[in-house]
C-alpha cells in the first residue's frame, strides 16, 4: 500500500472529471451490488463453529451472460466466513472438481501443520480443517486454494472468499455504528462460457481479466442506509493491482492485511496489490452518487525480448483508467459517525536483537517462463530457510526484475522497515508487501509462534505456480 502523494491528489481530481465522460454502456448496466452470502455455521457446541465448503463447478451469472466457474458452495466469490476471536473453527472442504485442491486461510494466524500448503485433497475427497482463531486476529482475511502449479487456474476460475474475524474492537460503539460492506475485487475474462484460458503472456505477466468485478458484478450500485461506511477491501485477483479512490472523498485507512492501525490514516488513493486487504472508512458527504475508481497502475512489464515489451502487452497499463468499480449512492438522510482517533496499539518490532538477516533476490529465468528466489525455483522437498522459534529476523527482498512482485509470507505477519533504504513512516502489520520493479524492501519478521513448514511467495499466483516460492521451516 502506498501513501498519497501530491500527484495522487491531482490524479483523483482528474479521475473525477474523466469518470463523467464514461461511455453510457458502462454506466447503464448498473446492478445492485450483491454481498457474498455468509457461510452457515453451526454453533450448537459452545466455542465451536462448524461449517462446510464444497468446491464445485457452477453455472454462474456474470453481467448479462453466464459462465461455468469454480465456486465454493455455488457462490462466486465464495461465501464469507465470519468467525470470532477465541473460537474454534471446524471447516470441511469437499472437492467436487476434477483437480486436486486445498484451502489456505490467508492472513489468519493458524498452525502451518493445519493451514498446510503441501496438503492435497483429491477429487471426490473431503478434508476437515480445525483450528483456533487466536485473540488479536480480528480483521479481513481470505481463503483460496494453494496446490502448487494450479493455483492460478483455480483462483482465476473463481475459488476465493473473504474470511472475517470479529474482535472486541469491532463492537466498540463507534465502529458498531458504521455500516459494513465486504468488497471482493476479482477480475475475470470469459471465453466460450468459461473463464478464458491462460496464454503464454498471461503466465509471464500474471493474468488479468477485462471484467473488473466487485462481489461478482461490474459497476454495481451500493445503496447504503447510513452515511459512514466501513469497506473491507480484498484483492482476490490473480495479478491485477487496484489503485483505489472514491470520487470526492478521502479514504480513512483503519486496517492493513487484517490488522488494525494505531489510528486512522487519511488517504486520497490507495494501492491494493494481489492478496492485500485494506479496511477503509468513508464518510459520505453531500448528495449523489460517487464512483469507487481504479485509477490504474503501471506494475511494469514482464520478460523483455530485444528490449521491447513482449507482444506489446503491458500489464496494468494506465491507458484504460480510471475505471469505475462500483457506484455508492449516498443516502439522503445521513448522520456521519466521527472516526475514532485511536484504534489500537501497534508495537514496533524490536530490531535491536536480530537473530538473522536474510536476503531474497527475485528473478526470472527461462525467458520469463520461470520465476525464482535466490536463483532457485520452488521445490517442496527443499527447505530454503530454517528459522528458530522466538527469533526476530530481518528479511531484505531485492527485486531486480522489470515487474512488481507482491511478496507474501504465511503464518508470520511482518512489519515493513524500509523501501529502497527509506524508512517506512507507518508502523503496521502486513502479510503482503509489494516490492516494486528494481527496488528492495526490508521487513522485520518476528517468528513468534508455531513451528513447522510454511511458505513465502509472490502473490501474482502465476509467478507462484512458475516457481517464485520458497519453504520456511521453523523449529
Ligand atoms: Cu494467499 Cu500463499 O497465499
Ligand atoms: Cu497466505
Ligand atoms: Cu511476481
Amino acid at each position: 500500500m502506498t501513501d498519497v502523494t501530491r500527484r495522487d491528489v491531482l490524479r483523483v481530481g482528474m479521475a473525477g472529471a474523466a469518470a463523467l465522460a464514461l461511455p453510457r454502456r458502462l454506466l447503464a448496466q448498473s446492478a445492485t451490488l450483491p454481498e457474498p452470502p455468509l457461510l452457515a455455521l453451526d454453533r450448537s457446541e459452545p466455542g465451536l463453529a462448524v461449517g462446510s465448503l464444497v468446491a464445485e463447478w457452477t453455472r454462474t451469472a456474470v453481467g448479462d451472460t453466464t459462465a461455468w466457474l469454480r465456486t465454493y458452495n455455488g457462490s462466486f466469490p465464495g461465501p464469507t466466513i465470519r468467525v470470532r476471536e477465541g473460537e474454534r473453527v471446524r471447516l470441511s472442504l469437499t472437492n467436487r472438481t476434477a483437480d486436486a485442491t486445498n484451502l489456505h486461510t490467508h492472513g489468519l494466524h493458524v498452525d502451518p501443520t493445519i493451514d498446510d500448503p503441501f496438503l492435497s485433497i483429491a477429487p471426490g475427497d473431503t478434508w476437515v480443517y480445525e483450528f483456533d482463531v487466536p485473540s488479536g486476529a480480528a480483521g479481513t482475511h481470505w481463503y483460496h486454494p494453494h496446490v502448487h502449479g494450479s493455483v492460478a487456474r483455480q483462483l482465476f476460475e473463481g475459488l476465493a472468499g473473504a474470511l472475517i474475524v470479529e474482535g472486541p474492537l469491532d463492537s466498540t460503539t463507534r465502529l458498531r455504528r458504521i455500516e459494513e460492506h465486504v468488497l471482493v475485487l476479482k477480475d475475470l475474462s470469459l471465453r466460450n462460457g468459461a473463464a478464458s484460458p491462460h496464454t503464454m503472456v498471461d503466465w509471464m505477466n500474471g493474468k488479468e481479466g477485462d471484467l473488473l468485478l466487485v462481489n461478482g458484478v461490474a459497476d454495481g450500485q451500493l445503496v447504503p442506509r447510513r452515511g459512514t461506511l466501513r469497506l473491507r477491501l480484498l484483492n482476490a485477483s490473480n495479478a491485477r493491482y487496484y489503485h483505489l479512490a472514491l470520487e470526492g472523498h478521502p479514504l480513512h485507512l483503519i486496517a492493513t492485511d487484517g490488522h488494525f492501525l494505531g489510528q486512522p490514516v487519511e488517504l486520497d488513493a490507495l494501492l491494493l496489490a494481489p492478496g492485500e486487504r485494506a479496511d477503509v472508512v468513508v464518510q459520505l458527504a453531500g448528495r449523489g452518487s460517487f464512483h469507487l475508481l481504479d485509477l490504474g497502475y503501471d506494475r511494469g512489464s514482464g520478460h523483455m525480448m530485444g528490449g521491447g515489451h513482449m507482444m506489446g502487452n503491458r500489464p496494468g497499463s494506465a491507458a484504460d483508467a480510471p475505471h469505475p468499480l462500483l457506484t455508492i449512492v449516498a443516502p439522503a438522510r445521513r448522520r456521519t459517525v466521527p472516526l475514532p482517533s485511536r484504534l489500537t496499539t501497534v508495537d514496533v518490532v524490536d530490531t535491536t536483537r536480530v537473530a538473522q538477516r536474510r536476503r531474497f533476490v527475485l528473478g526470472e529465468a527461462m525467458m520469463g517462463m520461470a520465476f525464482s528466489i535466490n536463483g532457485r525455483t520452488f521445490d517442496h522437498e527443499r527447505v530454503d530457510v530454517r528459522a528458530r522459534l522466538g527469533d526476530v529476523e530481518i528479511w531484505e527482498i531485492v527485486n531486480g526484475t522489470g515487474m512488481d512482485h507482491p511478496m507474501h509470507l504465511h503464518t508470520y505477519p511482518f512489519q515493513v522497515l524500509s523501501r529502497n533504504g527509506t524508512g517506512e513512516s507507518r508502523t503496521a502489520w502486513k502479510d503482503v508487501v509489494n516490492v516494486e520493479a528494481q527496488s528492495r524492501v526490508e521487513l522485520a519478521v518476528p517468528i513468534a509462534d508455531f513451528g513447522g513448514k510454511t511458505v513465502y511467495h509472490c502473490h501474482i499466483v502465476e509467478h507462484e505456480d512458475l516457481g517464485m516460492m520458497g519453504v520456511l521451516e521453523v523449529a
Side-chain angles (χ1 to χ4, degrees):
M1 239 159 290
T2 335
D3 278 336
V4 184
T5 60
R6 174 95 197 123
R7 207 186 52 192
D8 286 324
V9 178
L10 293 173
R11 287 175 72 179
V12 181
M14 277 159 50
L20 297 174
L22 284 170
R24 278 207 90 75
R25 182 178 49 85
L26 278 174
L27 300 173
Q29 57 191 16
S30 292
T32 303
L33 184 84
E35 199 104 347
L38 271 183
L39 181 73
L41 292 171
D42 178 352
R43 287 193 164 93
S44 51
E45 198 178 310
L48 181 71
V50 183
S52 53
L53 292 171
V54 178
E56 60 194 343
W57 288 96
T58 307
R59 196 167 189 106
T60 308
V62 181
D64 37 25
T65 181
T66 62
W68 284 100
L69 297 178
R70 286 180 204 260
T71 63
Y72 290 114
N73 299 1
S75 163
F76 169 75
T80 299
I81 305 175
R82 255 194 128 92
V83 294
R84 301 175 199 134
E85 281 186 14
E87 245 178 355
R88 190 169 185 85
V89 179
R90 187 182 299 152
L91 209 55
S92 69
L93 171 61
T94 299
N95 182 5
R96 288 215 190 113
T97 71
D99 311 282
T101 193
N102 64 11
L103 196 75
H104 170 46
T105 47
H106 179 140
L108 196 62
H109 192 50
V110 166
D111 188 327
T113 58
I114 293 160
D115 179 12
D116 179 0
F118 304 101
L119 181 95
S120 172
I121 306 170
D125 283 2
T126 296
W127 185 261
V128 181
Y129 291 88
E130 188 162 330
F131 52 86
D132 295 311
V133 182
S135 73
T140 307
H141 308 291
W142 64 302
Y143 62 97
H144 62 80
H146 219 293
V147 173
H148 178 65
S150 74
V151 178
R153 282 310 291 170
Q154 295 194 29
L155 185 66
F156 194 75
E157 289 170 337
L159 288 182
L163 197 175
I164 289 171
V165 178
E166 289 168 5
L169 204 54
D170 300 298
S171 39
T172 55
T173 10
R174 286 222 172 134
L175 286 182
R176 234 191 13 224
R177 284 166 61 208
I178 296 177
E179 183 172 323
E180 191 183 304
H181 294 277
V182 178
L183 304 179
V184 182
L185 313 182
K186 187 150 183 41
D187 61 352
L188 180 66
S189 58
L190 299 177
R191 208 166 88 194
N192 303 327
S196 67
H198 272 66
T199 63
M200 289 265 279
V201 172
D202 289 337
W203 282 110
M204 286 185 268
N205 290 339
K207 188 169 179 56
E208 295 187 6
D210 57 329
L211 301 168
L212 275 64
L213 308 178
V214 179
N215 298 346
V217 161
D219 196 19
Q221 267 195 10
L222 176 61
V223 189
R225 282 171 300 119
R226 301 191 194 181
T228 307
L229 310 178
R230 172 181 183 179
L231 307 177
R232 294 182 182 262
L233 299 159
L234 154 63
N235 185 352
S237 303
N238 279 37
R240 182 177 287 276
Y241 285 56
Y242 297 86
H243 191 191
L244 300 165
L246 181 62
E247 287 176 316
H249 295 80
L251 305 170
H252 300 277
L253 184 68
I254 59 166
T256 58
D257 291 349
H259 299 270
F260 279 107
L261 300 177
Q263 58 275 316
V265 175
E266 186 177 315
L267 301 174
D268 283 305
L270 145 77
L271 183 68
L272 207 61
E276 280 188 313
R277 291 87 66 212
D279 288 37
V280 298
V281 172
V282 163
Q283 296 168 310
L284 293 171
R287 275 164 182 277
S289 322
F290 307 95
H291 287 115
L292 179 68
L293 296 167
D294 176 18
L295 302 178
Y297 174 72
D298 182 0
R299 61 183 177 87
S301 64
H303 180 75
M304 291 187 201
M305 267 183 164
H309 297 302
M310 183 110 188
M311 299 173 209
N313 189 343
R314 193 171 173 80
S317 118
D320 56 348
H323 194 292
L325 297 172
L326 61 88
T327 305
I328 300 179
V329 183
R333 291 162 47 114
R334 63 187 171 272
R335 228 184 294 138
T336 355
V337 181
L339 284 166
S341 54
R342 262 208 59 208
L343 292 160
T344 186
T345 308
V346 185
D347 292 321
V348 183
V349 175
D350 179 6
T351 49
T352 52
R353 294 164 304 115
V354 169
Q356 246 351 296
R357 286 187 162 265
R358 303 183 195 274
R359 201 175 147 93
F360 300 85
V361 180
L362 310 181
E364 288 173 21
M366 290 168 63
M367 310 289 283
M369 286 310 286
F371 291 86
S372 61
I373 301 175
N374 292 338
R376 303 197 285 199
T377 54
F378 176 70
D379 178 351
H380 70 276
E381 310 231 41
R382 186 184 67 221
V383 173
D384 297 280
V385 171
R386 286 179 203 278
R388 266 198 339 242
L389 202 58
D391 278 357
V392 172
E393 301 200 347
I394 291 187
W395 288 23
E396 184 189 25
I397 306 177
V398 181
N399 180 4
T401 75
M403 186 175 357
D404 290 18
H405 295 287
M407 296 303 292
H408 169 51
L409 169 61
H410 285 212
T411 321
Y412 310 101
F414 53 77
Q415 290 179 1
V416 179
L417 295 175
S418 71
R419 300 178 197 251
N420 284 327
T422 308
E424 186 83 339
S425 54
R426 182 163 69 224
T427 306
W429 291 105
K430 297 276 299 155
D431 58 53
V432 176
V433 60
N434 187 44
V435 188
E436 286 179 17
Q438 304 292 335
S439 82
R440 66 198 161 85
V441 302
E442 257 186 331
L443 312 175
V445 188
I447 311 285
D449 47 16
F450 295 134
K453 272 192 199 177
T454 194
V455 291
Y456 48 93
H457 60 86
C458 177
H459 222 293
I460 290 179
V461 284
E462 286 78 7
H463 298 170
E464 172 195 339
D465 277 347
L466 294 178
M468 197 174 263
M469 175 153 71
V471 176
L472 161 66
E473 182 164 27
V474 173

